[in-house]
Amino acid sequence: MQIFNVSRINTDFGIFRVSGDWWFNQPEVESINIKSIEVMGTDGWVSLNKTSERNSQLINNLLPLLLSHLRLKNRAV
């Protein structure tokens, strides 16, 4: 298991700051455990409630992009 902190990931549906842990040797989105997620709002970073139904869908859309980002970052190390 590896801890991660992504200070900024740009997507078509927002800019996010995410931290958590993941099993880097398992290339599935299920290997990611998000501890904290924030979205860039008009006044700065806004924490998202991970249990909200609307945010849950947003996180599901973000997970494949986050996995790709983490795998590329892990390869560079």
Side-chain angles (χ1 to χ4, degrees):
M1 186 179 301
Q2 184 173 358
I3 295 172
F4 69 86
N5 289 300
V6 177
S7 59
R8 187 179 191 106
I9 184 167
N10 297 317
T11 71
D12 292 339
F13 47 93
I15 301 168
F16 299 90
R17 180 163 59 183
V18 187
S19 65
D21 50 57
W22 70 302
W23 294 97
F24 59 90
N25 57 350
Q26 296 178 2
E28 300 91 20
V29 294
E30 294 81 16
S31 67
I32 299 173
N33 180 29
I34 294 176
K35 302 282 188 186
S36 168
I37 182 167
E38 297 169 286
V39 64
M40 178 60 79
T42 56
D43 293 326
W45 293 109
V46 177
S47 185
L48 294 179
N49 177 353
K50 296 186 306 178
T51 60
S52 156
E53 181 67 35
R54 185 171 184 213
N55 292 342
S56 181
Q57 182 60 45
L58 183 71
I59 291 169
N60 285 340
N61 292 339
L62 178 63
L63 282 173
L65 302 171
L66 184 58
L67 180 63
S68 294
H69 177 85
L70 292 171
R71 292 181 72 201
L72 283 172
K73 185 177 173 184
N74 195 48
R75 239 186 272 164
V77 173

